[in-house]
Amino acid sequence: MIFILIITLTGYTQNTAIPDSVQNKTLDELENLLIKNVKDSIKVTFYAEILLAKAKLKKDNLGLAKGYFQVSFNHIHNPSKRIIYLDSSIHYSSNLKHDLYPVISYVNRAGSYKEIGNYNKALDDYLKALEFVDTVNTNLYNVVKHNIGRLKDEIGEYQEAKKIYLDVMKYEIHREIKGEEHLITILMLADSYRKLNQIDSASYYTNLGIKESIKDTLNVYYSFVLAEGINQYYKKEYDASIDSINKSIPMIEKLESHNMGAIVDGYLHLSKIYKEHSDEKMLLSSLEKIDWYYENTKYRSLEMREAYELFINYYKSIDDKNKQLYYINKLFAVDSVLDRDYKSLNKTITKKYDTPQLLKEKQHLINTLQEKEKIVSLKYSITLLAVIILFIFFLSVYYRKVQYKKRYQAIMHPENNLEIKKTEPLIAREKNINDSKSLGIPENVVSEVLERLTQFEDKNGFLTRNLTISHLAKKLNTNSKYLSKIINQYKQKRFSVYINELRVDYVIEQLKENPKFRLYSIKGIARELGYNNDRAFSKAFYQKTGMYPSYFIKQLEKEITT
């Protein structure tokens, strides 16, 4: 009867008309017909519908439990909807004390909860199944034990999972249980050995499974091929590994699309091989397949987390900070689900899982999960700091670009912006002339110096190399003390700032009006302006405009060519 646990059906209608051909069939006869035609999905679907419809008419609780259970398989690809039918099966069988029901309904509902990532409810259902199992019916007891082994595997308790699978396999061999149920035990045992890095033992069991499954259980056969392909990766047999994984994944996606753990694991190991081969295109292709399962399903796993680490490391290697940040956020999302599930599972085990056979394991499991929580907490802190630093960096780059663009527009269209003003010519205003007395300089001297400074500006005298205030004072027939005071008073600037701003205003006009000037290098322009090096010129340009000359020239070229 255990094979009922793995029947897969499709299609169901709420109101089923009962044909004359089965009007007189009893519920037991319908169940026997369903069992007899188990490999014919159309007939099985039909008999399941009729079984439930007749059970409703007869108001037979056991028949309703069986009917709802069988029809639940019509929604095998919709776990949330399947849970609703299994709820009904459990409801009608809770007080029956039957050898199968509600145990198999609890086990199947637990599987559906696992599919949608609700490990807490899955464990609750396995515990309920243990409560209902008849101590004589060790067959079903082993089924529940097998599923608890899978839970342990999924939270990383590989050594404990291996022990459970070995016990289950010994039992199955002793009872001569074969077929898909036994093959799945072999597959899970092989997987545990592989995760414990005991690759030779893992390969022994995968090859055993391949031989036994190739006869008639092809859906499990491809899972064994995939498992051996992963083993080959650890043996560094990369070409054989790629071949095995690529052959098996499409068939698993077709025959067992719900087996997302195996599929993601396969793509992860393909990614690792392509990383070893430095094949970036195939590396990204394999990782993107995993990302598809993240985006389109609720499945989350440690393997999926590892895939996002590979994503982050790849984009870090090519210095793509946007992609790094994008996949860091996805890694956070996977971590939060895994952390939530582990905490939930830990809490439930602590309160409810004090059964004799697992009492010794409890404290070890709790300690392990608590240690994982500490590691996750530290990892969160480090990653969060990295995210904050990246965010500040991107924000500063963006802000600088906006400011540069704004300042460029201010230079190109000064009539619309007061931020950057052109250096005004030295014109003696009445107010300033009146202030000449405060300078301690005769008014006629001030007027003459101002007049000569205007001529100095008009003739671009500021382009003279190594120009000093003493040199300029001599040219203007005055002394450097007077000249310094006059420039400070009438231009509100120090001499060096005054000269630098005249040069920057000049070069901006030249760059805008003279195409040949734009062909000069920064160093060449600096020499034209009288600077000894390009560093001094760039500094002066930045102090006047708020941007570097290289940016201004680049933007100007863009504007001219568009």
Side-chain angles (χ1 to χ4, degrees):
M1 298 290 284
I2 300 306
F3 73 92
I4 297 174
L5 292 172
I6 53 174
I7 296 174
T8 303
L9 309 176
T10 56
Y12 176 68
T13 56
Q14 288 288 345
N15 301 311
T16 305
I18 302 175
D20 292 339
S21 59
V22 292
Q23 277 286 356
N24 298 323
K25 298 288 184 184
T26 65
L27 296 178
D28 287 342
E29 287 173 333
L30 287 170
E31 186 178 14
N32 289 333
L33 285 170
L34 190 150
I35 295 169
K36 183 179 178 181
N37 293 280
V38 68
K39 293 186 179 180
D40 187 330
S41 61
I42 295 174
K43 287 184 179 180
V44 169
T45 301
F46 170 74
Y47 288 125
E49 292 172 355
I50 301 303
L51 176 62
L52 180 56
K54 291 204 78 169
K56 286 180 178 179
L57 289 175
K58 291 179 175 292
K59 297 182 180 180
D60 183 292
N61 282 355
L62 179 57
L64 287 165
K66 292 178 178 180
Y68 278 113
F69 175 78
Q70 296 297 346
V71 172
S72 75
F73 287 98
N74 296 351
H75 306 284
I76 193 73
H77 299 297
N78 186 346
S80 297
K81 195 167 184 180
R82 188 177 182 224
I83 286 168
I84 296 171
Y85 287 93
L86 291 168
D87 287 344
S88 296
S89 179
I90 291 167
H91 170 75
Y92 285 109
S93 57
S94 291
N95 298 317
L96 293 179
K97 296 184 179 179
H98 190 268
D99 59 345
L100 284 179
Y101 294 94
V103 176
I104 59 173
S105 298
Y106 274 118
V107 170
N108 277 263
R109 193 172 70 174
S112 295
Y113 277 129
K114 276 176 61 182
E115 268 193 76
I116 61 175
N118 196 330
Y119 289 86
N120 189 34
K121 287 192 175 182
L123 181 59
D124 279 343
D125 275 356
Y126 288 134
L127 294 171
K128 281 286 186 183
L130 279 177
E131 289 177 16
F132 278 97
V133 165
D134 183 350
T135 54
V136 177
N137 192 343
T138 52
N139 197 25
L140 270 183
Y141 187 86
N142 254 14
V143 170
V144 179
K145 193 173 180 182
H146 184 284
N147 282 283
I148 292 172
R150 296 191 79 157
L151 265 183
K152 280 190 167 289
D153 178 76
E154 288 177 25
I155 66 166
E157 287 285 341
Y158 306 130
Q159 188 64 40
E160 302 307 315
K162 184 187 81 171
K163 289 179 183 177
I164 290 174
Y165 293 136
L166 281 170
D167 289 343
V168 173
M169 195 168 78
K170 286 177 185 177
Y171 169 83
E172 290 171 349
I173 292 171
H174 179 71
R175 293 294 182 93
E176 296 185 349
I177 296 172
K178 296 183 179 180
E180 188 166 346
E181 184 183 355
H182 181 57
L183 288 170
I184 290 172
T185 302
I186 296 173
L187 181 64
M188 297 310 297
L189 180 58
D191 187 60
S192 297
Y193 273 115
R194 190 258 297 177
K195 289 174 179 175
L196 289 167
N197 203 30
Q198 298 173 9
I199 306 303
D200 289 340
S201 296
S203 283
Y204 170 80
Y205 284 107
T206 53
N207 287 316
L208 175 63
I210 288 172
K211 288 177 185 176
E212 292 193 16
S213 62
I214 199 169
K215 300 170 187 175
D216 57 2
T217 318
L218 288 181
N219 52 335
V220 185
Y221 166 77
Y222 289 108
S223 295
F224 279 112
V225 173
L226 173 61
E228 183 54 25
I230 294 173
N231 292 339
Q232 288 164 332
Y233 162 78
Y234 290 101
K235 296 175 185 177
K236 299 188 182 300
E237 298 170 2
Y238 296 138
D239 290 341
S241 180
I242 291 172
D243 183 62
S244 297
I245 295 173
N246 280 332
K247 280 180 180 177
S248 55
I249 285 181
M251 297 306 298
I252 295 172
E253 287 176 323
K254 178 181 178 181
L255 298 170
E256 291 188 291
S257 58
H258 60 282
N259 192 2
M260 289 174 281
I263 296 167
V264 168
D265 208 8
Y267 282 126
L268 174 64
H269 284 85
L270 278 180
S271 303
K272 290 179 177 181
I273 295 170
Y274 293 129
K275 184 182 178 184
E276 290 284 340
H277 288 174
S278 299
D279 189 336
E280 294 181 359
K281 181 179 178 182
M282 293 306 295
L283 166 65
L284 288 178
S285 175
S286 299
L287 291 175
E288 283 162 3
K289 297 285 181 59
I290 297 173
D291 189 51
W292 184 92
Y293 279 94
Y294 171 87
E295 293 289 352
N296 294 278
T297 73
K298 295 181 179 180
Y299 179 75
R300 303 291 184 263
S301 68
L302 295 171
E303 288 76 19
M304 189 174 280
R305 187 193 184 286
E306 191 175 349
Y308 285 120
E309 287 181 345
L310 289 173
F311 261 129
I312 293 165
N313 289 334
Y314 170 74
Y315 285 110
K316 184 177 181 180
S317 72
I318 63 171
D319 198 30
D320 188 331
K321 292 181 174 60
N322 287 325
K323 290 283 190 179
Q324 275 182 261
L325 188 59
Y326 176 74
Y327 287 110
I328 283 172
N329 287 333
K330 284 201 170 183
L331 186 144
F332 263 129
V334 173
D335 265 358
S336 66
V337 173
L338 295 177
D339 190 45
R340 180 199 67 204
D341 291 341
Y342 289 170
K343 282 181 180 177
S344 175
L345 193 60
N346 182 24
K347 183 178 178 182
T348 306
I349 289 174
T350 303
K351 290 183 176 178
K352 300 180 181 179
Y353 211 7
D354 289 333
T355 48
Q357 72 275 19
L358 293 171
L359 188 58
K360 294 179 182 179
E361 303 171 16
K362 182 183 71 171
Q363 193 57 48
H364 174 65
L365 180 61
I366 292 170
N367 293 339
T368 302
L369 291 174
Q370 287 175 341
E371 189 62 31
K372 283 183 181 178
E373 187 174 344
K374 290 179 184 177
I375 294 170
V376 168
S377 178
L378 176 61
K379 178 180 59 186
Y380 276 170
S381 301
I382 294 171
T383 309
L384 181 60
L385 178 62
V387 170
I388 292 171
I389 292 170
L390 280 173
F391 176 77
I392 293 171
F393 172 77
F394 289 136
L395 190 64
S396 64
V397 169
Y398 173 76
Y399 178 76
R400 189 162 62 247
K401 284 183 178 179
V402 171
Q403 290 299 106
Y404 277 15
K405 189 173 183 180
K406 183 178 176 182
R407 289 164 185 164
Y408 173 80
Q409 291 299 324
I411 291 172
M412 297 304 294
H413 307 287
E415 69 278 4
N416 298 328
N417 199 302
L418 300 176
E419 184 176 343
I420 299 175
K421 296 180 180 179
K422 190 170 182 177
T423 304
E424 297 177 2
L426 281 168
I427 299 174
R429 298 180 189 149
E430 184 179 347
K431 177 179 177 296
N432 289 334
I433 291 173
N434 291 334
D435 288 341
S436 64
K437 292 178 181 179
S438 65
L439 295 175
I441 305 173
E443 289 182 17
N444 65 318
V445 173
V446 172
S447 295
E448 287 176 8
V449 171
L450 290 173
E451 181 66 29
R452 290 166 191 158
L453 274 173
T454 300
Q455 294 173 10
F456 164 76
E457 292 177 12
D458 291 342
K459 294 179 180 179
N460 298 330
F462 47 81
L463 300 179
T464 303
R465 190 179 303 282
N466 299 321
L467 180 64
T468 65
I469 193 166
S470 298
H471 181 197
L472 182 57
K474 285 182 181 179
K475 287 185 85 173
L476 301 182
N477 295 321
T478 186
N479 60 63
S480 57
K481 185 177 179 182
Y482 278 10
L483 181 59
S484 177
K485 285 185 176 182
I486 291 169
I487 291 174
N488 287 343
Q489 176 67 24
Y490 291 94
K491 285 303 293 181
Q492 302 293 306
K493 294 180 181 75
R494 290 180 290 106
F495 173 76
S496 60
V497 174
Y498 164 64
I499 297 299
N500 281 334
E501 291 195 354
L502 286 171
R503 288 173 172 177
V504 171
D505 287 340
Y506 172 81
V507 77
I508 288 172
E509 288 301 317
Q510 288 298 313
L511 288 169
K512 288 162 63 175
E513 305 297 335
N514 188 348
K516 291 183 179 179
F517 211 78
R518 291 193 294 272
L519 298 176
Y520 291 0
S521 66
I522 298 295
K523 189 173 183 179
I525 293 173
R527 293 186 67 82
E528 286 288 320
L529 297 178
Y531 290 104
N532 290 324
N533 57 69
D534 55 342
R535 201 167 43 217
F537 164 53
S538 293
K539 182 179 178 182
F541 195 95
Y542 185 85
Q543 287 175 338
K544 166 73 173 171
T545 66
M547 74 186 82
Y548 290 103
S550 56
Y551 176 84
F552 179 80
I553 294 169
K554 184 178 179 182
Q555 291 299 114
L556 187 60
E557 289 291 349
K558 280 185 183 178
E559 189 171 314
I560 292 169
T561 55
T562 54

